[in-house]
Amino acid sequence: MRILVTGGAGFIGSHFVRSHADEADLTVLDRLTYAGNLANLAPVEGRFTFVQGDICDAGLLEQVVPGHDLVVNFAAESHVDRSIAGAGAFVHSNVLGVQTLMQACLDAGTPKVVHVSTDEVYGSIEAGSWDETAPLSPNSPYAAAKAGGDLIALAHARTHGLPVSITRCGNNYGPYQHPEKVIPLFVTRLLDGRNVPLYGDGGNVRDWIHVDDHCRAVRLVAERGEAGEVYHVAGTAELTNLELTARLLDALEADWPRVERVPDRKGHDRRYSLCDSKLRALGYAPRIVFEQGLAETVDWYAAHRHWWEPLREHVP
């Protein structure tokens, strides 16, 4: 099987590549922005074809996409704080990029496409969980751009019959995640003896899932998902940021004085929660409990300073 993985040098995309390097003929397409890193693919070096480029480059996609049995789109700008500072790059990659990629897949007759999205497209939910019929109500520029890309993908399915499915997932964690994101940010700062920033009252709730469980879900949707359908990938631990901070402090034997309260993020969504019964009906279940996954992640960052120390210059 030939699989094209766009954004395959990023955090989630590179995990998908590492997980499938022995099972498929892989092509990785990545622009190698600050978040794309060939070091993420070092463990499987020589077992994939790499193409450096932008999913907005229609001419490049015309050459790269044909001949693949599956295209999985992980390519996206994904950091909410950066989207608040400036939304242009997010609209470029997450909307125009999706349109360009979907058109290339349509032109090439790609048999299956999976577009990877986020729970943030729904906005915030006080109680209960969203199912796949919930209305999109994004609040951040990042989430709005992802919602736009989702609608573009679904339009290609419904108008043109493109066999594309969408996955929407909660907060991912695991090895090789850029240290601008909250878990590696806190872990790397605590390892260096520095303080960590906690937004607002710390009561914002997120649903955490290990990147390995997420990638297994994406592959299952590629194999069994229906065209034009959305599938939720729920996490295994719904935690407030205060609760997450406490667990990270415990894991690194640090105390609460290391936590600095900072003004809340603009438009900060209070809570995300997904119902994943539709995906579970396809045979999915997460394997990594949060306590185990978090401990292993902390250990990984402690043992891989050579990977994350060069990236700190890109952390706002």
Side-chain angles (χ1 to χ4, degrees), residues 139-162:
N139 291 315
S140 71
Y142 159 65
K146 287 297 292 183
D150 289 7
L151 293 175
I152 288 289
L154 290 173
H156 277 74
R158 293 165 184 168
T159 301
H160 300 293
L162 182 69

Side-chain angles (χ1 to χ4, degrees), residues 38-121:
L38 285 178
N40 296 352
L41 299 170
V44 291
E45 185 177 1
R47 289 146 67 186
F48 61 91
T49 300
F50 180 73
V51 179
Q52 184 171 355
D54 190 339
I55 60 168
C56 293
D57 186 340
L60 177 62
L61 294 185
E62 186 178 1
Q63 300 174 38
V64 173
V65 171
H68 289 94
D69 305 297
L70 168 65
V71 172
V72 185
N73 181 37
F74 293 100
E77 295 287 341
S78 66
H79 192 45
V80 175
D81 287 344
R82 290 179 185 269
S83 80
I84 293 170
F90 290 77
V91 175
H92 178 81
S93 294
N94 302 357
V95 182
L96 179 60
V98 174
Q99 157 60 31
T100 309
L101 180 61
M102 294 303 114
Q103 185 64 50
C105 291
L106 185 64
D107 292 343
T110 304
K112 183 66 181 181
V113 184
V114 179
H115 171 64
V116 178
S117 189
T118 172
D119 56 4
E120 298 192 39
V121 298

Side-chain angles (χ1 to χ4, degrees), residues 120-124 137-144 266-270 272:
E120 298 192 39
V121 298
Y122 296 115
S124 188
S137 185
N139 291 315
S140 71
Y142 159 65
K266 292 181 179 179
H268 201 175
D269 291 330
R270 192 64 174 175
Y272 304 141

Side-chain angles (χ1 to χ4, degrees), residues 212-229:
D212 189 69
D213 283 332
H214 183 193
C215 287
R216 287 192 306 103
V218 169
R219 184 58 187 267
L220 181 63
V221 170
E223 294 170 351
R224 303 183 190 176
E226 295 184 16
E229 293 294 324

Side-chain angles (χ1 to χ4, degrees), residues 48 50 53 73 130 138 140 142 147 164 185 209 217 260 274 288 299 311-312:
F48 61 91
F50 180 73
N73 181 37
W130 293 298
S140 71
Y142 159 65
V164 56
L185 175 68
I209 183 169
E260 293 181 357
L274 297 172
I288 301 175
D299 289 346
L311 304 179
R312 286 185 300 187

Side-chain angles (χ1 to χ4, degrees), residues 171-183:
N171 281 39
N172 279 231
Y173 72 97
Y176 295 98
Q177 187 172 29
H178 194 281
E180 70 180 1
K181 298 300 179 76
V182 64
I183 287 180

Side-chain angles (χ1 to χ4, degrees), residues 185-198 245 249 254-262:
L185 175 68
F186 279 35
V187 170
T188 56
R189 285 194 174 202
L190 291 171
L191 285 169
D192 277 349
R194 301 167 63 196
N195 291 346
V196 296
L198 180 62
T245 299
L249 291 173
D255 298 319
W256 279 99
R258 299 280 294 280
V259 179
E260 293 181 357
R261 299 294 185 127
V262 298

